[in-house]
Amino acid sequence: MSRIKELPDVSDTSYASQAKPEPPITSSPETPFPIRAKPHSQDASTTPSLPPAMDSVRSHSADEIVQMMKKTPLFMTDLDDGGDDDDNEGNIQLEALRALQYEGTRREVALGFKERGNEMVAEKRWKDAKEFYTKGILALKAPRKKEDDETSDDEEVEEKKVEEACYTNRALCNLEL
């Protein structure tokens, strides 16, 4: 039978007495949330300092973190919650995602909306599908970009096919509603 020996309780207090509390960080690009300037309730001499990302989370309540996360496109439950009323620039991430919808030629954009409409039809979400088909039609009706000015006859024929498909599919959605 092995015997367990207790180790003597030796603590090194020299490190704790030499440690200087760091000033609170107010903002940093690496932190997911802004850090508050108020100090923590924990004793700085016995608790090691946290990394900036952890410190930023610890300085907010759970409800505040949930509200901040709802402003991130990944966690949004409503697109209207994207920006603050006092924030003039709005939600940059949300604006970037919206801009990606319209990137490409008119035919590519309309084809993307048509495909998303087809996905909604497969799920029997007729109202959403109708909106996507309408966006596809509007994308084809929009004025051409400078890069798209020189279109060939083949591209115009392809645009016409996509437009016809969007009109036909939108009519199907109207019948189902």
Side-chain angles (χ1 to χ4, degrees):
M1 198 152 137
S2 66
R3 226 170 111 174
I4 300 174
K5 290 184 179 181
E6 285 191 32
L7 295 174
D9 193 18
V10 179
S11 62
D12 185 16
T13 58
S14 62
Y15 176 73
S17 63
Q18 292 175 359
K20 296 178 184 177
E22 295 181 21
I25 301 171
T26 55
S27 65
S28 173
E30 303 92 33
T31 59
F33 304 110
I35 300 174
R36 289 200 183 130
K38 69 178 184 178
H40 297 297
S41 61
Q42 297 176 345
D43 186 14
S45 65
T46 60
T47 306
S49 62
L50 294 171
M54 291 288 295
D55 197 30
S56 69
V57 172
R58 186 171 271 182
S59 68
H60 294 283
S61 70
D63 291 334
E64 291 172 332
I65 292 174
V66 168
Q67 288 301 321
M68 286 183 225
M69 287 175 65
K70 283 184 178 180
K71 293 178 184 175
T72 305
L74 180 63
F75 300 107
M76 281 184 178
T77 55
D78 186 16
L79 289 178
D80 296 333
D81 294 338
D84 293 329
D85 293 336
D86 58 348
D87 188 13
N88 293 336
E89 62 189 47
N91 191 333
I92 296 171
Q93 296 171 340
L94 186 59
E95 290 174 17
L97 288 174
R98 286 180 178 158
L100 284 175
Q101 287 181 331
Y102 295 97
E103 192 171 288
T105 64
R106 290 181 349 163
R107 185 183 66 83
E108 291 170 346
V109 171
L111 195 58
F113 282 125
K114 181 181 113 15
E115 289 171 359
R116 279 183 255 159
N118 291 345
E119 292 170 5
M120 295 295 114
V121 166
E123 296 175 12
K124 299 192 185 288
R125 295 173 54 186
W126 306 110
K127 189 173 182 179
D128 293 336
K130 178 183 169 186
E131 288 181 30
F132 280 120
Y133 294 134
T134 302
K135 285 182 180 181
I137 293 166
L138 293 175
L140 290 171
K141 300 287 184 189
R144 293 190 185 277
K145 297 177 185 175
K146 292 179 183 178
E147 304 92 35
D148 298 340
D149 281 343
E150 51 209 46
T151 58
S152 65
D153 291 336
D154 293 337
E155 289 180 37
E156 289 181 13
V157 168
E158 290 297 319
E159 283 183 6
K160 243 343 176 193
K161 287 181 182 177
V162 172
E163 185 179 14
E164 290 170 1
C166 285
Y167 274 117
T168 304
N169 294 347
R170 188 173 73 169
L172 167 73
C173 293
N174 283 326
L175 288 173
E176 292 293 330
L177 286 176

